[in-house]
Amino acid sequence: VEFKKITRGIVAADAMCKAAAVEIITAQAICPGKYLILVAGDVGAVNSAVAAAAAVTQESDRVASFVIPNLQPSVIPALKRQVAPEILRALGGLECYSVAAAIVAADAAVKCAPVTLIEVRLARFMGGKAVVTLTGDVAAVTLAIEAGRGAVPGKVIDSFVLPSPHSKLGTVIF
């Protein structure tokens, strides 16, 4: 759930934790002055948590909310910035207008091709945008990037596929 106000986001995070047994992936201020709460758990618990957030806030306080049933498991470590691939093969990226679009695009990308999701960077110091990076064979990365773009039509600002990125690039972009 993404909020227009940091204070409303904190109140909603409390309600979400009290309403259901969910794992908080993140609850933080993001650019530009918004608040983001991401939770994981079984679908019923996540739906209950999102409903609890809606119950303690006004619709006008929320930017967006969504639930992705059966999220591909590699998305959560990428959200937590816990992935460091040993080998940087072809490199692909998607820049999205919103956090929600980036998460949906990342999920679609890794479900359609054998790629390693490196990171889903969320809107901090990026004007509310979010960036997805992934690696794998050139064909798989190309397919994954196209699937990510297709999952969120009109929400992708730009994308790239680098077939053979310089080895130094992996140390500076992650």
Side-chain angles (χ1 to χ4, degrees):
V1 183
E2 187 175 349
F3 294 89
K4 294 177 185 175
K5 301 173 185 172
I6 295 167
T7 52
R8 292 294 92 204
I10 294 167
V11 169
D14 179 64
M16 292 172 83
C17 291
K18 289 175 179 173
V22 291
E23 174 191 359
I24 294 182
I25 304 303
T26 192
Q28 64 182 345
I30 59 172
C31 292
K34 298 178 184 176
Y35 198 81
L36 175 68
I37 306 164
L38 298 175
V39 297
D42 69 59
V43 176
V46 171
N47 281 328
S48 293
V50 170
V56 298
T57 60
Q58 300 294 316
E59 185 175 343
S60 61
D61 293 331
R62 296 184 298 277
V63 175
S65 69
F66 65 95
V67 175
I68 301 175
N70 306 312
L71 182 71
Q72 207 282 341
S74 67
V75 175
I76 292 175
L79 286 164
K80 293 179 177 181
R81 301 176 71 186
Q82 296 175 335
V83 181
E86 291 180 26
I87 299 171
L88 190 61
R89 297 178 291 171
L91 179 66
L94 290 163
E95 182 176 350
C96 299
Y97 283 111
S98 70
V99 168
I103 295 170
V104 170
D107 182 59
V110 295
K111 283 180 176 171
C112 86
V115 294
T116 300
L117 190 58
I118 299 170
E119 181 179 12
V120 181
R121 188 168 292 214
L122 303 175
R124 293 197 73 183
F125 312 111
M126 297 188 300
K129 298 185 289 184
V131 177
V132 176
T133 52
L134 50 88
T135 189
D137 295 334
V138 176
V141 168
T142 301
L143 182 62
I145 293 297
E146 288 308 311
R149 289 183 74 88
V152 290
K155 303 290 185 185
V156 175
I157 298 165
D158 198 10
S159 64
F160 68 87
V161 175
L162 297 175
S164 182
H166 193 283
S167 61
K168 291 180 182 177
L169 193 57
T171 63
V172 295
I173 65 168
F174 311 118

